[in-house]
């Protein structure tokens, strides 16, 4: 499962701008894309998007996605404590 930076920030107990600022400070992001996409490929990836605009034609975008393993990795890289994950009680009779 992949998350946007906003979703990852929520899971880490931060806001998206604060997460981006911390990631830039630690040289994990350049702009809003991974600074080292090959090195960090197990944790972050670049998502390519495209859409058609009636006047301007094809438009292209790139954004950062955080992989499942990237949440804990980001917390370690940024020196954050992960919030406790609530227990899953759905299978309790």
């Amino acid at each position: 499962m992949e998350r946007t930076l906003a979703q990852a920030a929520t899971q880490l107990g931060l806001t998206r701008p604060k997460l981006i600022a911390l990631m830039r400070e630690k040289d994990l992001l350049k702009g809003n894309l991974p600074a080292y996409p090959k090195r960090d490929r197990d944790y972050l990836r670049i998502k390519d998007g495209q859409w058609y605009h009636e006047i301007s034609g094809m438009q292209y975008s790139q954004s950062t996605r955080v992989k499942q393993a990237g949440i804990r990795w980001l917390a370690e890289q940024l020196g954050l404590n992960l919030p406790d994950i609530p227990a899953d009680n759905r299978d309790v009779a």
Side-chain angles (χ1 to χ4, degrees):
M1 177 175 167
E2 293 183 340
R3 293 167 178 80
T4 64
L5 289 177
Q7 292 166 331
T10 299
Q11 196 160 9
L12 292 168
L14 301 170
T15 62
R16 180 180 174 272
K18 181 67 176 167
L19 175 62
I20 290 171
L22 288 171
M23 289 177 74
R24 286 179 182 159
E25 279 177 26
K26 297 291 185 175
D27 199 29
L28 298 175
L29 286 183
K30 281 207 166 104
N32 283 354
L33 296 176
Y36 302 98
K38 296 249 190 288
R39 180 192 76 182
D40 300 335
R41 70 181 169 267
D42 291 337
Y43 311 108
L44 306 172
R45 86 170 180 94
I46 297 173
K47 179 183 183 253
D48 294 312
Q50 64 184 29
W51 68 94
Y52 183 78
H53 186 273
E54 291 181 13
I55 297 170
S56 303
M58 284 305 291
Q59 302 292 303
Y60 301 93
S61 68
Q62 291 185 312
S63 59
T64 298
R65 292 293 188 260
V66 180
K67 295 181 180 184
Q68 182 66 37
I71 297 294
R72 187 163 303 283
W73 176 80
L74 266 179
E76 291 171 5
Q77 297 297 311
L78 303 176
L80 302 172
N81 290 323
L82 277 176
D84 290 334
I85 299 169
D88 184 1
N89 295 325
R90 288 180 287 182
D91 61 349
V92 176

